[in-house]
Amino acid sequence: MAIAVNHISSIEANMGGTELNNPLLKVFSEPLVQGHPRQLFVLTDGAINNVNQTLELVKKNSKKARVFSVGIGQGASTALVKGLARAGHGRYEFVQGQDRLQQKVMGLMKFSLQPELTDLTLGWNFSPNEHVSAVTIPEKLPTVFVGEMVTLYAIITGAERQEIVGGTVKITGNLGDLPFEYLLEFEGQGQVNETTVAAPIHRLAAKAFVKDLEIEEMANDSIDKKSDIVLVSVAANIISKYTSFVGVDKDSKVPVIQPVQIV
């Protein structure tokens, strides 16, 4: 710790861009200490140009190093901070305004001392309803830590109205070095009416889906998800970075342009 503190005191900012790839390559190239898993903490207040390349590097080394990230201030890249934690099977935090950095980092350190449930997959079985299928949201399932609750959604398609659909979903993954498996039975009803998509649970699923698309788009400049985001946002009546709500007077049918009065 003394060596680390002395090293930090000698570092000076040169006002240049953030370089993250080379430091990560240096860390990942160091041999692991037997019996001590590598926990990497990245603190950043900015952004980088090669986000996708950096995330691929972290993902490639995720079997031997977990990455926890902290974004400091308004200038911290959301795509970078969240992407590092997702690719590195870790967790992320943002520190803004009067937030205490120590409290956020200690929370991440608590997670780093726990075994994680990784490589999660959901396998759906609707037998004998072979015409029914499911899409899991988010597509890439997150790492789960001890005592943590994670909410996942699934869009089930192919079911007729009023049709009772049942089956099983198998959750598989790895808890540390040990395989994990859990089988859950379920039963539900097909679409009831055309307004079902506006129901609260459907909006929550749509919001999670849009969030996933936005993160994917921010992490890779070559990917354009705007049309998909707008489609889901409008269909589910939720806000995204490409859409917003417009107030309309119910009597005149004219958009409300004056400032909203909060009573």
Side-chain angles (χ1 to χ4, degrees):
M1 185 180 293
I3 294 174
V5 171
N6 289 333
H7 175 66
I8 291 173
S9 64
S10 67
I11 294 177
E12 294 182 358
N14 60 6
M15 307 306 291
T18 303
E19 173 58 53
L20 195 55
N21 250 44
N22 287 338
L24 288 176
L25 282 170
K26 171 65 175 176
V27 171
F28 292 144
S29 66
E30 295 291 332
L32 291 170
V33 178
Q34 186 66 30
H36 295 274
R38 176 168 289 157
Q39 315 283 1
L40 180 60
F41 290 80
V42 178
L43 287 76
T44 177
D45 63 352
I48 60 177
N49 296 324
N50 55 342
V51 174
N52 195 49
Q53 180 183 353
T54 300
L55 299 186
E56 286 296 325
L57 175 63
V58 172
K59 183 177 180 180
K60 180 181 177 182
N61 291 273
S62 61
K63 295 294 183 182
K64 57 181 180 181
R66 281 198 294 185
V67 178
F68 299 84
S69 53
V70 180
I72 303 174
Q74 298 290 339
S77 167
T78 301
L80 176 62
V81 175
K82 291 185 176 181
L84 286 171
R86 286 160 61 99
H89 295 166
R91 276 290 175 270
Y92 64 85
E93 286 282 4
F94 286 95
V95 180
Q96 297 178 353
Q98 301 299 316
D99 294 342
R100 294 187 59 196
L101 176 61
Q102 181 183 19
Q103 184 178 3
K104 297 293 182 75
V105 174
M106 291 300 293
L108 292 181
M109 291 192 69
K110 179 181 178 181
F111 281 125
S112 73
L113 298 175
Q114 301 175 0
E116 77 280 15
L117 188 60
T118 61
D119 303 322
L120 282 178
T121 60
L122 294 185
W124 298 88
N125 181 11
F126 296 96
S127 182
N129 305 96
E130 301 298 338
H131 59 284
V132 180
S133 60
V135 177
T136 304
I137 302 173
E139 183 179 0
K140 185 182 184 304
L141 303 186
T143 299
V144 182
F145 291 88
V146 175
E148 184 180 31
M149 183 180 70
V150 176
T151 303
L152 305 175
Y153 302 92
I155 299 176
I156 299 177
T157 61
E160 300 294 333
R161 293 187 183 181
Q162 307 297 335
E163 179 183 4
I164 300 300
V165 177
T168 60
V169 55
K170 181 187 290 186
I171 307 172
T172 60
N174 294 305
L175 183 58
D177 297 328
L178 301 175
F180 169 87
E181 182 177 304
Y182 183 79
L183 191 66
L184 176 69
E185 295 184 359
F186 67 91
E187 183 177 271
Q189 190 173 352
Q191 182 178 347
V192 178
N193 53 56
E194 296 295 339
T195 61
T196 303
V197 72
I201 189 67
H202 293 77
R203 286 182 178 176
L204 290 174
K207 185 177 181 180
F209 186 37
V210 166
K211 182 179 178 181
D212 218 32
L213 291 174
E214 290 178 342
I215 292 176
E216 183 180 356
E217 185 181 59
M218 286 189 294
N220 192 339
D221 294 334
S222 64
I223 296 178
D224 184 6
K225 294 292 184 179
K226 181 177 179 179
S227 59
D228 294 335
I229 293 172
V230 171
L231 179 64
V232 176
S233 178
V234 172
N237 201 25
I238 60 173
I239 290 178
S240 70
K241 68 177 184 180
Y242 295 122
T243 57
S244 61
F245 286 113
V246 177
V248 177
D249 189 288
K250 295 174 63 175
D251 298 323
S252 66
K253 308 299 181 183
V254 176
V256 179
I257 58 175
Q258 65 264 28
V260 177
Q261 299 293 325
I262 300 177
V263 181

